[in-house]
Amino acid sequence: MQKEFTPLVEEAAMFCKNYFMEKLLAIYLHGSIATNDAIPYVSDLDCYIVTSKELSNKDKKYLEQTECELQLKYPIINGVHLSAHSAKNLMEDPFARFLLKYNSILYIGNDIVKQLDESGCEKFEPNAKMAKGRLAFARQCFQQALEDKQPMCTGELPSDTYYISRKYARYFVIIEGAYFLMSQNQFESFDQKEVLNKLYQHTDEFKQELDITCLILENPKKAGIKHIEFLKQIRPLVEWMFHQIDQS
């Protein structure tokens, strides 16, 4: 984990442990802090908290207050999201377990996802069926971005157009690229470098779009491509991936 964000994550975990005590089963991290490419004052903190019992209104209010306290104390972060769910909720949500398994890291506690998967609960696998099942949602999100609206998939967008480009690079090239790879039986993980390497191998005609994406992911300010322009440039690639998923 990047050292700038370590105190924040440690304190968020401490709040949860002290409050939920024995009811706390696990905390997973996802997003840019989990993948070690968070940007100070731009990225947010996403925690998925698993408890042994259903959350009360008091529990929910505590988490909301904690989010506000941590945001005030650590201005380096642009949003604190402490999303808590009971083990029962998680058992009934195979898509949430899928995302935690393949696109998150276990920060503290037991690997509840693995335990539930091994117990015989319904689970989703990273394959063509998985990719095709969310295709309508992915297309809707991309269309919202093209219309310069808030896409449902991204969470709150940064105010800076260049950092919006970076967020779109992560969602519409890396994440959608990972689902494209699932449809081709080439998926290994959501790791940014791994997905890009695979896309270069399987999308020869879109090298320019991938090169632009790499520049934005490395340094969005230096790349200097506004988000509307970036969307126009990657549109052929994204729509091609959607078509390939649809035909899989």
Side-chain angles (χ1 to χ4, degrees):
M1 184 185 303
Q2 294 156 278
K3 62 181 181 180
E4 305 99 306
F5 301 100
T6 300
L8 164 64
V9 176
E10 289 179 346
E11 188 160 352
M14 180 195 70
F15 272 117
C16 292
K17 287 190 289 185
N18 290 345
Y19 179 80
F20 290 109
M21 301 180 71
E22 71 278 359
K23 290 189 293 184
L24 179 65
L25 300 179
I27 297 178
Y28 293 85
L29 301 178
H30 52 102
S32 55
I33 287 183
T35 54
N36 293 314
D37 58 358
I39 297 177
Y41 306 101
V42 174
S43 299
D44 54 6
L45 170 64
D46 291 304
C47 295
Y48 191 103
I49 301 158
V50 186
T51 61
S52 60
K53 296 183 179 180
E54 297 288 338
L55 268 70
S56 66
N57 289 333
K58 179 183 175 183
D59 297 335
K60 295 174 184 178
K61 186 175 181 180
Y62 172 81
L63 290 174
E64 290 174 0
Q65 292 173 340
T66 302
E67 289 173 340
C68 293
E69 289 178 21
L70 290 172
Q71 178 65 80
L72 288 172
K73 185 173 180 179
Y74 297 96
I76 193 173
I77 204 72
N78 186 30
V80 177
H81 309 293
L82 305 177
S83 175
H85 308 266
S86 70
K88 183 176 182 292
N89 294 150
L90 190 58
M91 179 180 67
E92 296 170 349
D93 192 344
F95 186 65
R97 297 202 311 276
F98 172 86
L99 292 178
L100 290 175
K101 181 177 181 178
Y102 292 103
N103 201 21
S104 303
I105 60 170
L106 177 65
Y107 183 65
I108 63 169
N110 300 318
D111 193 346
I112 308 301
V113 171
K114 182 178 180 181
Q115 293 176 7
L116 290 173
D117 282 351
E118 291 176 348
S119 72
C121 293
E122 178 191 8
K123 61 180 178 179
F124 293 162
E125 299 293 349
N127 54 28
K129 182 180 179 181
M130 175 76 249
K132 201 166 184 177
R134 61 176 296 284
L135 183 56
F137 172 76
R139 280 177 162 153
Q140 185 178 2
C141 291
F142 191 58
Q143 185 60 40
Q144 289 170 333
L146 290 172
E147 295 171 2
D148 207 17
K149 299 176 181 177
Q150 170 74 58
M152 293 181 291
C153 62
T154 62
E156 185 178 354
L157 293 171
S159 58
D160 187 297
T161 183
Y162 302 122
Y163 287 121
I164 297 176
S165 292
R166 181 179 182 267
K167 198 151 196 173
Y168 283 166
R170 288 170 57 85
Y171 273 88
F172 296 123
V173 179
I174 303 303
I175 292 179
E176 296 308 332
Y179 284 106
F180 158 71
L181 293 171
M182 290 180 204
S183 74
Q184 307 299 307
N185 295 316
Q186 296 294 325
F187 174 82
E188 293 183 22
S189 79
F190 282 93
D191 178 78
Q192 183 170 293
K193 290 182 180 179
E194 193 168 272
V195 171
L196 281 169
N197 287 337
K198 289 270 189 178
L199 290 178
Y200 272 113
Q201 294 172 29
H202 295 279
T203 60
D204 292 338
E205 62 269 46
F206 297 109
K207 183 178 183 300
Q208 182 177 359
E209 289 85 347
L210 294 174
D211 287 346
I212 292 168
T213 298
C214 289
L215 291 174
I216 288 174
L217 289 170
E218 182 177 352
N219 191 326
K221 288 285 193 181
K222 186 177 180 180
I225 302 174
K226 295 181 178 181
H227 66 280
I228 294 298
E229 180 60 31
F230 176 60
L231 288 169
K232 291 178 183 177
Q233 293 182 24
I234 64 169
R235 185 172 184 174
L237 166 63
V238 175
E239 292 183 343
W240 178 84
M241 292 193 298
F242 287 162
H243 178 73
Q244 296 302 309
I245 292 171
D246 198 24
Q247 297 301 307
S248 64

